[in-house]
Amino acid sequence: MAFAIIVSILLFVLCLVLSAVVLIQDSKNTGLSGAIGGGAETFVSKNKARTMQGKLALLTKILGGCYFVLALALYFLVA
């Protein structure tokens, strides 16, 4: 039972951190011009993983996966 409480607290903290990381990111709306023009790939977009936005996107994926695993673990602990 104590382990379930610890996992619940970790899940809550992870939820807050994940929300903050998502809110920090820039929106990916390219507007109508990007949809019409096809959004051609540039040198900047190819090296996006090295930018701060690329790192935030990777962090969002990692935190989302951790959130899923912790939620699943909490479900099996309580059930």
Side-chain angles (χ1 to χ4, degrees):
M1 190 65 179
F3 191 64
I5 293 172
I6 293 171
V7 172
S8 296
I9 293 170
L10 286 174
L11 195 62
F12 179 73
V13 170
L14 186 62
C15 175
L16 293 176
V17 172
L18 182 61
S19 298
V21 169
V22 168
L23 288 174
I24 290 173
Q25 293 180 14
D26 289 338
S27 74
K28 293 186 178 181
N29 279 343
T30 56
L32 189 58
S33 64
I36 292 174
E41 248 186 70
T42 62
F43 179 74
V44 175
S45 66
K46 288 181 182 178
N47 291 324
K48 186 179 178 186
R50 295 182 184 156
T51 65
M52 185 65 167
Q53 292 301 320
K55 291 176 184 175
L56 284 173
L58 178 64
L59 184 61
T60 302
K61 293 173 188 173
I62 292 170
L63 290 175
C66 291
Y67 185 85
F68 176 75
V69 169
L70 276 178
L72 198 60
L74 184 63
Y75 172 76
F76 284 119
L77 284 174
V78 174

